[in-house]
Amino acid sequence: MEVTLSGRMGGPEVGVKYQAEIVQARARLKSAFAELSIDGLETIVVELWISGSLTEYCPEGISSSVRFSAKKKSVLLAVCVGKDEATSVDDDCAASAIGGWLTRGFESAKLPRSAGKIDFSGVAGAVNLCFA
């Protein structure tokens, strides 16, 4: 299964803190999803939106939203991190914070009805294991 991860940072302070860790997280996700197979799904696109001093993508905490494309056999998961959550993480804990945010995003993901019988339940466990 193919997986991609991209990050959007809402300010220079979160860019400095998280950009390198997002690149490393991308490699971890690719290895975790290499052996994973979900019927009816070929690609998972993950977007991590981290709020900062310039742009607040979500008001607080962590939220996620999911879009499914039957034609592309893909899911887009957008995980949004609030400014307070992002700025409360110590610099040396940025990698584990990203892993936690992605895990929580996958755990709270609710596939739309158009996704039919696609079973997304094992994905959060695979993500959690690759960041453990």
Side-chain angles (χ1 to χ4, degrees):
M1 171 170 300
E2 181 68 27
V3 63
T4 63
L5 172 65
S6 63
R8 295 191 184 191
M9 274 74 52
E13 73 287 353
V14 291
V16 168
K17 183 186 275 189
Y18 295 111
Q19 186 171 11
E21 303 301 338
I22 290 171
V23 171
Q24 292 176 358
R26 182 181 301 130
R28 286 182 175 181
L29 280 179
K30 285 189 177 285
S31 67
F33 282 82
E35 301 299 320
L36 190 65
S37 176
I38 299 174
D39 289 336
L41 197 58
E42 294 176 2
T43 306
I44 298 176
V45 177
V46 182
E47 294 179 351
L48 182 60
W49 298 53
I50 303 173
S51 299
S53 60
L54 300 177
T55 305
E56 288 195 42
Y57 297 115
C58 56
E60 61 184 47
I62 296 172
S63 62
S64 65
S65 62
V66 179
R67 284 189 284 164
F68 172 71
S69 170
K71 183 177 180 180
K72 295 179 182 179
K73 295 183 179 180
S74 69
V75 165
L76 168 68
L77 171 68
V79 179
C80 185
V81 180
K83 180 180 173 183
D84 291 342
E85 177 86 19
T87 57
S88 69
V89 174
D90 293 330
D91 289 349
D92 59 339
C93 297
S96 62
I98 288 172
W101 296 335
L102 292 174
T103 300
R104 288 166 58 186
F106 275 101
E107 286 173 345
S108 65
K110 294 186 181 8
L111 290 172
R113 286 191 320 193
S114 62
K117 296 182 181 186
I118 291 177
D119 184 9
F120 212 50
S121 61
V123 176
V127 171
N128 191 31
L129 285 175
C130 82
F131 287 99

